Amino acid sequence: MHEPHSMKRPLFLLIVGLALCVIGKADAQQLIFPDSVCNVGDIAENDPPRTYRFRYENRSDKPVVILRVDTSCGCVKSAFSRKPIAPGATGEVVVTFDPHGREGALYKLMPVYTSTSDKRPAIRLALSGTVKPPRK
């Protein structure tokens, strides 16, 4: 028995729609960060600022540019190359956290926007840990 023509078209549209979703998801995942969360453990409030590195690799077949890394407050600063990252190339986003005046639970989220995802973050990096009272 043959499938009616009206049943084939919705199935075809569903398959095309799913394929486009998968392709869109792949574009957003061009820069791969093996570790997107850095657990910094315990830091004393009077410790000097500490630097953490989030390594990445461009696993796509086209160059990608990191446009910006949003930090949630002045206690976090980020640094990264603004040059195109060639396919297969690696690099890092460097984040510096200043614990002064930040006693308590630490969870700083840092969305990363790229040339392939300038409206939505390609990934969200994070620092987690605890800022303890000042050392004596």
Side-chain angles (χ1 to χ4, degrees):
M1 183 168 207
H2 294 316
E3 224 178 281
H5 179 67
S6 61
M7 293 297 288
K8 289 181 182 179
R9 184 177 174 116
L11 181 59
F12 173 76
L13 292 175
L14 176 64
I15 291 169
V16 168
L18 288 173
L20 289 174
C21 287
V22 169
I23 291 168
K25 181 79 170 156
D27 283 348
Q29 295 297 318
Q30 290 181 338
L31 288 186
I32 303 300
F33 288 79
D35 297 309
S36 61
V37 178
C38 178
N39 185 337
V40 302
D42 293 341
I43 303 173
E45 188 179 9
N46 59 347
D47 280 351
R50 294 199 181 170
T51 300
Y52 306 95
R53 299 174 188 287
F54 293 89
R55 300 193 66 62
Y56 60 78
E57 179 183 356
N58 180 356
R59 292 196 187 158
S60 74
D61 60 353
K62 40 188 152 165
V64 177
V65 177
I66 295 177
L67 301 176
R68 70 184 188 277
V69 177
D70 290 345
T71 55
S72 56
C73 71
C75 63
V76 179
K77 305 261 188 267
S78 66
F80 52 90
S81 173
R82 287 168 169 59
K83 294 179 181 177
I85 304 150
T90 60
E92 59 189 16
V93 172
V94 179
V95 176
T96 302
F97 172 69
D98 184 353
H100 182 74
R102 304 287 172 191
E103 185 178 334
L106 167 63
Y107 191 79
K108 297 295 178 188
L109 199 58
M110 299 156 291
V112 177
Y113 295 85
T114 69
S115 55
T116 62
S117 66
D118 63 340
K119 302 283 188 242
R120 292 185 191 165
I123 191 165
R124 289 175 175 86
L125 304 176
L127 293 177
S128 68
T130 305
V131 178
K132 298 288 189 179
R135 295 178 206 263
K136 308 255 183 216

